[in-house]
Amino acid sequence: MQLLSEVKLTKRGLIRYLALSLGLISPNESRTLMLDILEALFGAHFAHDEPDVNQLMERINAVRPADSPAQIKAVRYHLHVLKEKGILTRKAGRYKFTLPPMAEKDDLGEALEYVYLTNAKNALEKTKKALQTLEHMS
């Protein structure tokens, strides 16, 4: 996916680009809650904060239109999805991005690279095993 100059003009454009690049939304996604959650999480990370769900709700509702406040059940669902993908960790009720085990700094780019490379490696290992099993069946 190309990072066009128009995308870099707004925070929202960059967040949407990141969500698409990370496979968290589809290209024709019209719902924006995941984008609002990511914006809140990125803001917290850059402020060196580890928010709880209530603090995240405050951040999320601050960027959403007044007529469509986020529902906590939906936010919890998306946080769970991010945890299942390994992108987030939750400790003592506070959320933060998963960092590599030996990371010396909170570099979010390195953190996401670590998570996605680890997930890809695991998926490829399972694919190899499945192919080997299929080969033995043939």
Side-chain angles (χ1 to χ4, degrees):
M1 206 170 108
Q2 290 184 339
L3 180 57
L4 302 173
S5 58
E6 304 88 61
V7 170
K8 297 188 276 184
L9 293 176
T10 65
K11 183 191 294 188
R12 194 64 168 188
L14 286 167
I15 290 169
R16 187 175 189 311
Y17 173 85
L18 290 166
L20 284 166
S21 297
L22 297 172
L24 300 175
I25 63 170
S26 63
N28 297 322
E29 184 74 45
S30 62
R31 295 171 292 182
T32 61
L33 183 57
M34 178 59 87
L35 300 179
D36 299 336
I37 292 169
L38 287 174
E39 186 171 347
L41 289 167
F42 290 143
H45 177 82
F46 297 139
H48 306 285
D49 189 19
E50 294 179 10
D52 62 22
V53 72
N54 294 320
Q55 293 166 324
L56 279 172
M57 289 297 295
E58 288 174 16
R59 284 177 175 264
I60 292 164
N61 285 325
V63 297
R64 289 185 72 76
D67 62 340
S68 63
Q71 301 296 318
I72 195 157
K73 184 176 181 180
V75 170
R76 287 184 189 274
Y77 168 78
H78 286 296
L79 291 172
H80 176 75
V81 168
L82 293 170
K83 282 180 10 191
E84 287 295 310
K85 290 182 178 279
I87 295 170
L88 285 184
T89 57
R90 181 175 176 242
K91 186 175 179 181
R94 298 194 168 275
Y95 293 90
K96 68 176 185 173
F97 286 98
T98 303
L99 298 175
M102 303 304 279
E104 294 183 19
K105 57 183 178 176
D106 290 347
D107 184 321
L108 195 48
E110 286 183 22
L112 291 172
E113 179 181 17
Y114 168 77
V115 169
Y116 275 78
L117 287 177
T118 300
N119 290 343
K121 184 176 180 184
N122 290 338
L124 289 171
E125 287 299 320
K126 290 176 186 175
T127 301
K128 286 181 193 176
K129 287 180 185 176
L131 285 169
Q132 289 170 351
T133 302
L134 181 63
E135 182 179 11
H136 290 258
M137 290 179 169
S138 299

